[in-house]
Amino acid sequence: MIVGNWKMNLNTKQSLTLIERLDIHIPSVRSKIVLCPNFVALNAVAEKLKNNSKFVLGAQNINDNDEGAFTGEISGPMLKGLAKYVIIGHSERRILFSEDDEIIAKKVAAAIRNNIRPILCVGENTHQRQEGLARRTVMDQLEEDLSEIIPSEAVKITIAYEPVWAIGSGLNAEPHDVEKMALDIYRFLVNKYGNETADKIKILYGGSVNGDNARAYLDINNINGLLVGGASINYKTFAKICQF
Ligand code: PGA
């Protein structure tokens, strides 16, 4: 599974152009490709992808409430039928928009309630890694963020391990460290939901993934795909990553 998080880039016209180029440069798909444009472009992109089986649509955020006086927010019922996936708990939302694990847990529940599959992002920052707290941080995030999710719902979740210091920085996490964390995440899932459910939950890596390093991450045990930011709006690079 390869997820392209376009973040706050590309207007609707540019989003549609990117899809046309990806469509040409990805002649056949080997993995599930999820594209996450901004909210304004979502409808037009959904329309464009109507008869296209290569790409699936995802959103970048969801409010934890289904409706109400929440100026500027987008809810699950609004995304339902449009986005199949939604990114939740991205470090940019945790840091820049002060989202804590309590609100993230509610967002995960809101997505599930509205039949949208959450891509839950977890990961430690530089300080936590240096202090030897990377594993603890990620396990705590998982514990809290999944607190409202029961096994039958958990199968719909994807976990993205994204060390904060690796996002948009060009600093790659060592595959060896990613492998260790992916195993810890898998063990956590087995412990919480049992073997059968854990085996159905995909674990992705994200953070400065590009055309040169993607292969190495995809080869890691317990890593089932990638969450790509910056490189996902470059059609040549993203097409290359999607065809590994
Ligand atoms: P990046 O972003 O690939 O630009 O590091 C990844 C992400 O934010 O999900």
Side-chain angles (χ1 to χ4, degrees), residues 132-195:
L133 297 171
R135 182 183 174 279
R136 186 68 272 144
T137 302
V138 170
M139 296 304 114
D140 286 350
Q141 288 172 335
L142 289 172
E143 189 67 57
E144 291 185 55
D145 300 347
L146 296 174
S147 57
E148 299 189 26
I149 303 304
I150 57 172
S152 63
E153 299 167 334
V155 293
K156 296 181 181 148
I157 290 177
T158 299
I159 307 290
Y161 169 54
E162 298 206 302
V164 179
W165 47 271
I167 296 177
S169 62
L171 295 171
N172 303 109
E174 286 296 327
H176 171 71
D177 290 332
V178 175
E179 181 160 358
K180 263 168 67 185
M181 190 64 86
L183 180 60
D184 284 333
I185 293 171
Y186 176 69
R187 282 193 179 131
F188 172 94
L189 296 170
V190 169
N191 218 6
K192 187 169 172 75
Y193 296 118
N195 270 322

Side-chain angles (χ1 to χ4, degrees), residues 59-101:
Q60 296 178 20
N61 190 18
I62 184 172
N63 190 275
D64 55 308
N65 298 283
D66 280 356
E67 61 182 1
F70 302 100
T71 302
E73 288 294 287
I74 310 280
S75 72
M78 295 169 187
L79 293 172
K80 204 174 181 170
L82 206 53
K84 202 155 179 247
Y85 290 82
V86 60
I87 298 170
I88 297 176
H90 191 281
S91 65
E92 283 150 19
R93 297 228 47 102
R94 290 181 190 259
I95 297 164
L96 304 172
F97 300 94
S98 307
E99 289 186 10
D100 59 16
D101 290 303

Side-chain angles (χ1 to χ4, degrees), residues 12-86:
T12 302
K13 192 161 175 260
Q14 292 166 326
S15 300
L16 296 176
T17 304
L18 177 56
I19 285 173
E20 279 167 17
R21 290 183 176 159
L22 289 175
D23 202 20
I24 293 168
H25 286 81
I26 305 174
S28 62
V29 285
R30 315 178 62 160
S31 26
K32 176 162 282 177
I33 304 174
V34 183
L35 303 176
C36 305
N38 70 71
F39 283 133
V40 177
L42 216 50
N43 246 313
V45 171
E47 193 61 29
K48 182 111 185 154
L49 295 182
K50 234 180 196 164
N51 298 313
N52 187 320
S53 56
K54 287 183 207 169
F55 308 110
V56 180
L57 203 51
Q60 296 178 20
N61 190 18
I62 184 172
N63 190 275
D64 55 308
N65 298 283
D66 280 356
E67 61 182 1
F70 302 100
T71 302
E73 288 294 287
I74 310 280
S75 72
M78 295 169 187
L79 293 172
K80 204 174 181 170
L82 206 53
K84 202 155 179 247
Y85 290 82
V86 60

